[in-house]
Amino acid sequence: MQSGYRQQPPSYHSRPPGPPQGNSLLKIRTNCFKVTQIPAATYTLYDAFSPDIPKSAWRKRAELVRHLQKAVRPDVFSPQFLYDGAAIGFAHPTLCRKLGVMRMFRVRLRDNAEPKPDDKGAVEIKFKQSSAEPISPTETNAVILEGHDSPRRSSILNFLQLVLRHASNNDHPNNGKAYFPPPPPENPENRKKKIKYLQSIDNTFLELRRGVFHSVRPSMGQMIIVVDTVVAAFYQRGRMLDAMLAFFNVRRGDLRALSELSRLQLDNAGKFFRSVFIREEKGGVSGGRRTIKGFDRHGAHYQFTNSDGQEVTIEQHYRQVHNIILRYPKLPGVIVRITGDRKEILPMELCIIEPNQLFKKALPEVATREMVRFSTLGPEEKMVEIQRVSGYYQASESLVSAGMQVSRQPMDVDATQMQPPLIEFRGPSPMFNKPVRDGKWNVVGKKLCRTTEGCHWGVINLAPTKLHSQQIQQHCMAFQKCATDLGVALGIPIHMQQVDPQSDLLEVLDKFMFVVKQKIGSEESYQEMLGKRKFFILCFLEEEASRPRATLKFWGDTQTGVATQCVRLNKLPKHHNPGSVSQYWNNVVLKVNPRLGGENSSVSQSSAFDKTFRNGGLPMIVGADVGHPSPGVRKPSVASLVYNIDHSALTYNALTALQGPRQEVIADLRAMMRAAIVDLQTRNRNAVTHIIFYRDGVSEGEYDQVKSIEIADIKNAINDVWNSSPNIQEGGFPKPKLTFIVVGKRHHTLLFPSNPAGGDRTGNCPAGVVVNTGITQPTPDIRDFYLLSHSAIIGTSRSSHYVVLLNEVFPGDTRILEELSYALCHVYAKATRSVSIPAPVYCAIISIGTEDILLTLSLYLPDADLVCGRESFHFAPGVEDSLRANDSGTTVSGQTVPFDLNAWKAAFKSRNLRLHGMYFL
């Protein structure tokens, strides 16, 4: 029976497969160090010893045990007990004989001797031997090195991580996985490389510190340790008064400004400093450690009832009880306890911020930019630092006690240098195609593959005081010329308007389009223009214009379906530099053309690409991710799914859904995949034959959960479509095969040239290096590889880690997936460089928020992330602020209020149906 679907005819991109790829083999140096001796001692497990402190306060629990071992009873705890605040710890045989089956100790942080039972603040810590079998070298060897299956595999790995990290985490501030030692003594090597280890950040009272990440990882037949340098922000140690002056950028002599802060300003300061540890200094004596809960504008004039039942101010209390005359009683007070309506407040001038406190909140913009600059190390500098810190393992107390030994030399592994594909542009002969060199190519002198004919455009200037009409004309002419040179035929703008950024932008935009309609001539022509995506608005914005931009995108993306392209004033090129002018506006054209339904370029001479897209059938390439709110922010996570809508995987569409905060598994994946499959099949009048699903943002500990839930959701979505489609049933089409790949960017495994002569101009490995042996996972049912698909501009290149959880499309052959993933890194529409993640999962770094920093770092994330970062554009102006304000009171009577996801979903506006394809670029 003839079905409503048909075979897809070859596109004009299709051509016979190119010649065999000239891949070559080479050696690559890594930041992995081989464990030459696993722990030689048998460790006994202890549990049920946790002090009477919630498990969520694991840092407090670990601190108490650390103080017990190092200060109170070092005579007992030698070798030390391996513990990180969790429910289980491990004891060396020597320590096990001292602890016995059960032993109890008392500890108080301010004492170096064991306190008495009735001493205030004393905590009992009970060590009770677990019924679980001890962890022996024989079991460790069998499970980790020989790959035997065991339900204790995760426990053994946790034990090995503790052996590695215990000493460094005990001696230095840490976040569990990385520790931050003091700067090393200066030496000629450091001076030569000019490596900075500490840097304060102006106007924040924060400082950046360089630290060390290290982690045990099993590999095929061996165990390795990954060592990397990291950077984290810390609160500076110092006076609370100085911290507030820095936070509000107030001169030291202008303390009056602090006493005049509004409630909103104090709330912002409270969010920044909340949970920070301080001590009160009275007469040169430090009190106990307290935690900041917020700030009170009444300061030392705050009244409370003292022990005699009298109403006194804090100022009076300190004068009468402590004989202290406060110098600045009008300054805000530091709240350290809230009990019902009562507050315990300390005078700000007496408070000292404790040292070594990690800043765990979202960084201010100025700190983010400093973090970027401070973090950047070239590959040679990076390797020097890695080798320096790895030398400390020879003297690590926990490693020495366990008998665990680590090689001093980083591992070299076999790698493959893949040849890049050829970039295709429009033209009658191969001379119009462009080879990729050093991970990049140029569009100058080329014509984009497909463009929209008869396109109109308008211009809005939202920076009228800084950008005058004549300058706008010059920029528009430059843009128009670049568009024409690339094959996008644009006339002069149909309408141009200067707009006050403080005006009602939604009303201005509606009036703007009314004028456009009048100039088009008829309602029918106007609707046809919008329906066929033959109109867009170029909008000039000031440097700081997040709200006008969000309003513009809300209007275009959800209300009207009009494509909009924003350019920022501070990024506009100078007209006296023709090269920068053409480069800038060419890049803008590369964004606009796909939004209007065009295609910029394609790839050829990639056998894997040909097998996937040019060998019959209808392939589906999917990128998916979940974007989470910043730390401390109560708002939904955003799940996004990006999928191709053409036969050649050059054009993509996107689906977005809100879900609970910090939820990683995609809640609505079944419905989203069902809609995507139907959309792709309807557009191409054919049945999907195979699906390659790239999943971003999944940590190693979530593999099993994602594998069991999300793969099942995709399979169920396929069943839903196949069971409900008459065309599928009439045509007898088989269900598509599925390959599911997790793409990781936030790992710490690095690749370096083993010979500096083999690096690119920055000293990094050249683009196209892939490693699938030596440092990959040992589990036989999961294949993985590291692919360095891009060339760094500065700093050290970071490869992406691909973990294949299911491979039905190319069973048993990850080589094709390596080549396909590399080819897909060359079809990201608005880039003239290969990117570090395949096109459907590429995006800008949301935490940094600006693509210029993204390109500088060459740290590329997925398009799904790009869509996730646009969730604010789906809310009407002011609605998101209102939702967050309504949810700001997250506790009532000490209980956390459930997050109201339905309120957010109700306010979330769907994408306008006129916008499809790559509107999100």
Side-chain angles (χ1 to χ4, degrees):
M1 182 181 295
Q2 181 69 33
S3 79
Y5 285 168
R6 59 179 174 79
Q7 289 295 317
Q8 176 74 25
S11 71
Y12 71 88
H13 298 292
S14 298
R15 58 185 64 192
Q21 301 295 298
N23 297 343
S24 57
L25 301 178
L26 69 159
K27 283 285 186 181
I28 291 296
R29 178 149 294 176
T30 71
N31 61 331
C32 303
F33 295 79
K34 185 176 180 179
V35 175
T36 56
Q37 174 64 56
I38 64 172
T42 297
Y43 276 73
T44 301
L45 283 70
Y46 279 77
D47 62 8
F49 63 89
S50 54
D52 188 20
I53 293 173
K55 290 184 178 181
S56 59
W58 62 271
R59 291 182 187 276
K60 177 73 170 179
R61 294 151 59 92
E63 185 179 19
L64 285 164
V65 174
R66 184 185 310 121
H67 186 68
L68 171 65
Q69 298 194 88
K70 295 179 75 72
V72 179
R73 296 302 305 269
D75 56 315
V76 174
F77 292 94
S78 178
Q80 287 195 357
F81 187 75
L82 303 182
Y83 181 63
D84 63 354
I88 294 177
F90 305 87
H92 185 275
T94 302
L95 177 60
C96 182
R97 287 192 290 271
K98 298 177 184 179
L99 295 179
V101 176
M102 186 180 72
R103 188 167 177 180
M104 189 269 291
F105 300 87
R106 295 183 185 87
V107 63
R108 189 165 56 177
L109 289 177
R110 63 175 178 263
D111 296 328
N112 290 338
E114 194 164 359
K116 297 177 181 178
D118 56 349
D119 283 350
K120 184 179 180 181
V123 176
E124 288 187 352
I125 300 179
K126 186 181 298 181
F127 294 82
K128 181 180 179 182
Q129 201 170 112
S130 170
S131 59
E133 287 293 318
I135 293 180
S136 67
T138 302
E139 184 181 19
T140 301
N141 184 78
V143 174
I144 301 301
L145 300 186
E146 297 176 7
H148 293 182
D149 191 24
S150 169
R152 300 220 304 170
R153 180 181 179 83
S154 61
S155 295
I156 295 173
L157 280 175
N158 289 338
F159 161 67
L160 294 173
Q161 297 287 19
L162 268 176
V163 172
L164 174 69
R165 294 169 173 165
H166 180 81
S168 57
N169 286 1
N170 265 352
D171 294 338
H172 306 291
N174 65 88
N175 62 9
K177 297 180 179 180
Y179 68 95
F180 299 85
E186 283 198 17
N187 59 57
E189 189 66 29
N190 288 341
R191 287 197 296 270
K192 178 183 175 182
K193 300 301 176 185
K194 297 180 181 178
I195 297 175
K196 296 179 65 175
Y197 295 91
L198 188 68
Q199 178 176 313
S200 60
I201 306 174
D202 293 340
N203 303 329
T204 62
F205 214 70
L206 298 177
E207 62 185 17
L208 299 176
R209 298 188 191 179
R210 208 173 292 282
V212 181
F213 168 91
H214 54 170
S215 177
V216 171
R217 293 189 61 83
S219 185
M220 193 64 70
Q222 62 185 352
M223 189 163 61
I224 62 178
I225 293 177
V226 179
V227 183
D228 193 11
T229 64
V230 293
V231 171
F234 283 75
Y235 292 99
Q236 295 185 42
R237 183 190 186 280
R239 299 194 308 162
M240 188 72 238
L241 176 57
D242 293 332
M244 291 289 279
L245 290 171
F247 181 78
F248 289 106
N249 194 19
V250 175
R251 292 182 295 106
R252 287 182 179 272
D254 191 13
L255 294 179
R256 178 182 295 181
L258 293 184
S259 64
E260 297 173 349
L261 294 173
S262 67
R263 185 181 301 276
L264 177 60
Q265 289 174 309
L266 287 177
D267 286 345
N268 289 335
K271 292 175 183 177
F272 188 83
F273 291 105
R274 184 168 295 136
S275 300
V276 169
F277 294 131
I278 59 172
R279 292 185 190 272
E280 184 185 28
E281 285 196 353
K282 298 194 292 274
V285 179
S286 294
R289 194 173 69 179
R290 310 300 298 272
T291 303
I292 295 177
K293 306 294 184 183
F295 299 97
D296 189 282
R297 62 188 309 181
H298 297 97
H301 292 164
Y302 178 83
Q303 289 187 328
F304 68 100
T305 304
N306 65 14
S307 57
D308 296 329
Q310 297 176 325
E311 286 288 323
V312 296
T313 65
I314 293 174
E315 181 181 18
Q316 292 169 337
H317 172 79
Y318 273 78
R319 185 172 63 247
Q320 296 168 2
V321 177
H322 303 293
N323 196 28
I324 294 176
I325 298 176
L326 298 177
R327 298 177 60 191
Y328 311 113
K330 293 183 179 180
L331 292 181
V334 182
I335 304 172
V336 294
R337 180 186 296 176
I338 301 176
T339 306
D341 295 334
R342 299 187 61 183
K343 302 175 185 177
E344 183 179 350
I345 297 174
L346 301 181
M348 183 179 293
E349 62 188 84
L350 301 181
C351 296
I352 305 296
I353 294 178
E354 286 276 270
N356 299 325
Q357 298 188 69
L358 278 160
F359 182 79
K360 303 172 188 177
K361 305 174 180 67
L363 282 172
E365 184 175 349
V366 61
T368 300
R369 295 183 181 276
E370 285 299 320
M371 173 79 82
V372 170
R373 285 189 282 267
F374 185 76
S375 302
T376 303
L377 287 178
E380 186 179 353
E381 298 170 309
K382 192 87 161 175
M383 181 51 77
V384 166
E385 275 297 286
I386 287 170
Q387 290 190 281
R388 180 183 68 81
V389 299
S390 65
Y392 297 154
Y393 292 136
Q394 313 307 317
S396 168
E397 179 185 349
S398 54
L399 267 71
V400 171
S401 298
M404 183 170 162
Q405 298 177 10
V406 183
S407 172
R408 292 175 178 267
Q409 295 299 318
M411 293 174 59
D412 288 350
V413 296
D414 293 326
T416 300
Q417 176 68 62
M418 294 190 290
Q419 292 300 310
L422 192 70
I423 305 300
E424 289 188 332
F425 292 95
R426 185 171 63 195
S429 68
M431 67 175 291
F432 287 87
N433 299 331
K434 198 73 176 177
V436 178
R437 292 190 175 92
D438 297 325
K440 58 185 178 181
W441 59 94
N442 201 323
V443 298
V444 174
K446 306 302 178 186
K447 300 291 184 183
L448 304 184
C449 281
R450 192 180 74 218
T451 60
T452 299
E453 300 294 330
C455 184
H456 297 286
W457 59 303
V459 177
I460 290 179
N461 179 13
L462 277 168
T465 61
K466 299 180 180 179
L467 200 63
H468 304 299
S469 297
Q470 185 177 0
Q471 295 171 298
I472 290 287
Q473 292 281 0
Q474 287 179 311
H475 287 301
C476 287
M477 289 173 61
F479 171 60
Q480 184 182 355
K481 181 182 183 304
C482 289
T484 302
D485 291 344
L486 291 173
V488 181
L490 288 182
I492 62 173
I494 192 172
H495 182 45
M496 302 175 68
Q497 185 173 335
Q498 309 265 22
V499 176
D500 181 355
Q502 302 301 320
S503 61
D504 184 343
L505 190 52
L506 292 178
E507 182 180 349
V508 168
L509 289 166
D510 288 339
K511 291 180 179 179
F512 183 91
M513 292 304 294
F514 179 78
V515 176
V516 170
K517 182 195 298 187
Q518 288 181 318
K519 293 185 176 181
I520 291 297
S522 70
E523 178 70 22
E524 182 179 358
S525 299
Y526 174 75
Q527 294 299 332
E528 180 183 10
M529 176 188 73
L530 297 182
K532 293 185 176 181
R533 290 186 293 172
K534 292 188 175 184
F535 179 78
F536 70 94
I537 294 176
L538 180 66
C539 184
F540 292 83
L541 297 174
E542 294 189 18
E543 180 177 358
E544 301 296 335
S546 57
R547 287 190 179 275
R549 178 172 179 263
T551 301
L552 177 72
K553 293 297 182 180
F554 170 77
W555 175 85
D557 289 1
T558 69
Q559 287 195 321
T560 61
V562 172
T564 56
Q565 174 62 52
C566 296
V567 293
R568 291 189 185 271
L569 187 65
N570 59 314
K571 303 300 178 186
L572 292 174
K574 307 299 181 184
H575 290 288
H576 58 75
N577 188 340
S580 66
V581 170
S582 61
Q583 181 181 13
Y584 179 85
W585 289 114
N586 280 344
N587 289 337
V588 174
V589 175
L590 293 180
K591 297 178 184 180
V592 170
N593 186 53
R595 291 182 181 182
L596 302 177
E599 294 176 359
N600 291 342
S601 61
S602 182
V603 297
S604 65
Q605 296 189 10
S606 167
S607 59
F609 203 84
D610 291 337
K611 286 181 181 179
T612 306
F613 298 103
R614 297 164 181 164
N615 200 25
L618 179 61
M620 184 177 194
I621 308 296
V622 182
D625 187 37
V626 178
H628 299 296
S630 300
V633 176
R634 290 248 300 185
K635 59 184 293 188
S637 290
V638 184
S640 185
L641 187 137
V642 175
Y643 58 97
N644 63 301
I645 56 175
D646 66 338
H647 194 269
S648 302
L650 300 178
T651 306
Y652 296 87
N653 203 1
L655 300 173
T656 307
L658 301 183
Q659 58 186 50
R662 317 304 304 177
Q663 178 183 342
E664 184 55 49
V665 172
I666 301 176
D668 297 328
L669 182 57
R670 180 173 181 173
M672 296 170 80
M673 273 300 296
R674 183 168 59 238
I677 294 171
V678 170
D679 184 30
L680 177 60
Q681 293 186 159
T682 301
R683 291 174 187 272
N684 292 271
R685 295 180 60 199
N686 197 2
V688 172
T689 53
H690 48 281
I691 300 172
I692 298 178
F693 193 102
Y694 289 98
R695 176 66 160 91
D696 175 63
V698 178
S699 66
E700 188 172 346
E702 296 167 327
Y703 288 170
D704 290 341
Q705 187 182 27
V706 165
K707 191 173 182 179
S708 63
I709 298 176
E710 294 192 355
I711 290 179
D713 282 346
I714 297 171
K715 293 281 191 178
N716 287 331
I718 294 171
N719 291 336
D720 292 343
V721 175
W722 255 247
N723 292 335
S724 61
S725 171
N727 288 328
I728 293 289
Q729 296 168 359
E730 292 172 7
F733 294 95
K735 293 178 182 178
K737 297 178 180 179
L738 173 64
T739 290
F740 191 103
I741 307 170
V742 171
V743 188
K745 306 169 298 297
R746 298 176 182 91
H747 63 88
H748 287 271
T749 303
L750 303 173
L751 309 179
F752 301 87
S754 58
N755 183 347
D760 61 13
R761 63 176 183 80
T762 64
N764 285 290
C765 289
V769 166
V770 62
V771 174
N772 56 22
T773 186
I775 56 174
T776 51
Q777 297 196 20
T779 48
D781 58 332
I782 294 180
R783 306 290 294 274
D784 65 315
F785 58 90
Y786 294 90
L787 171 60
L788 182 63
S789 56
H790 68 291
S791 181
I793 299 174
I794 61 171
T796 302
S797 296
R798 191 174 295 274
S799 63
S800 294
H801 187 205
Y802 296 74
V803 181
V804 184
L805 298 184
L806 178 68
N807 189 9
E808 297 176 346
V809 180
F810 303 113
D813 192 353
T814 57
R815 180 188 59 82
I816 296 180
L817 295 178
E818 294 166 7
E819 295 184 4
L820 174 63
S821 299
Y822 185 42
L824 285 171
C825 292
H826 292 76
V827 298
Y828 184 62
K830 65 179 181 180
T832 55
R833 307 176 65 93
S834 57
V835 293
S836 69
I837 291 292
V841 284
Y842 167 92
C843 86
I845 295 178
I846 298 173
S847 61
I848 296 179
T850 54
E851 290 191 46
D852 55 309
I853 298 178
L854 164 74
L855 293 173
T856 300
L857 286 177
S858 294
L859 297 172
Y860 300 105
L861 313 182
D863 254 346
D865 269 342
L866 184 63
V867 178
C868 289
R870 298 173 60 94
E871 89 277 3
S872 293
F873 302 161
H874 290 263
F875 295 100
V879 170
E880 185 175 1
D881 291 339
S882 177
L883 287 167
R884 292 177 64 177
N886 291 340
D887 191 59
S888 60
T890 57
T891 57
V892 174
S893 301
Q895 300 296 317
T896 301
V897 176
F899 181 78
D900 188 0
L901 180 61
N902 289 333
W904 287 82
K905 286 186 173 183
F908 188 84
K909 304 300 181 184
S910 300
R911 165 178 53 88
N912 190 286
L913 294 179
R914 283 191 182 128
L915 284 182
H916 54 86
M918 305 182 75
Y919 72 96
F920 46 81
L921 282 180

